[in-house]
Amino acid sequence: EVQLVESGGGLVQAGGSLSLSCATSGFTFDDYTIGWFRQVPGKEREGVGYISGSGRTSIAESMKDRFTISSDNAKNTAYLQMNNLKLEDTAVYYCAAAQWATLDQRVYDYWGQGTQVTVSS
């Protein structure tokens, strides 16, 4: 059974940092790209970035100066480090797995349940 489980969300003040984890199981981690997405209620889900099985990363332009993505293939886990958080970063953050290195959500086969990140002033 494929599972992706996000953790690390919570409440943080603006300017602070959070690190999210995406623990996976049930598929060959090295063969998949792990993408991070976020969604605010009432808005479309947007791509944050991804890390491929070979470690290549890509971050959305609006976030690349504050967010980084990494992974530990031995632990089948990907991470999203978020620094200098802003109020507008408040959202539910999801990780997902795809066999293509892209932020096109349509190709992501497996999704986690999401973790809430709330940034306060």
Side-chain angles (χ1 to χ4, degrees), residues 64-92:
K64 64 191 307 180
D65 60 338
R66 300 184 294 120
F67 292 4
T68 57
I69 295 175
S70 61
S71 65
D72 184 337
N73 287 30
K75 295 183 178 179
N76 295 335
T77 300
Y79 306 94
L80 174 64
Q81 177 67 39
M82 304 183 291
N83 299 324
N84 190 21
L85 283 160
K86 303 177 180 181
L87 297 179
E88 53 264 39
D89 294 318
T90 295
V92 176

Side-chain angles (χ1 to χ4, degrees), residues 8-93:
L11 177 65
V12 63
Q13 283 194 322
S17 298
L18 272 180
S19 179
L20 305 184
S21 298
C22 174
T24 75
S25 61
F27 61 93
T28 304
F29 189 80
D30 293 1
D31 291 343
Y32 278 77
T33 288
I34 302 298
W36 286 96
F37 302 86
R38 67 185 187 182
Q39 188 169 25
V40 176
K43 294 188 176 181
E44 289 189 359
R45 188 165 52 197
E46 69 171 329
V48 174
Y50 65 78
I51 184 165
S52 71
S54 62
R56 181 165 63 93
T57 62
S58 179
I59 309 286
E61 192 65 30
S62 63
M63 306 171 213
K64 64 191 307 180
D65 60 338
R66 300 184 294 120
F67 292 4
T68 57
I69 295 175
S70 61
S71 65
D72 184 337
N73 287 30
K75 295 183 178 179
N76 295 335
T77 300
Y79 306 94
L80 174 64
Q81 177 67 39
M82 304 183 291
N83 299 324
N84 190 21
L85 283 160
K86 303 177 180 181
L87 297 179
E88 53 264 39
D89 294 318
T90 295
V92 176
Y93 284 73

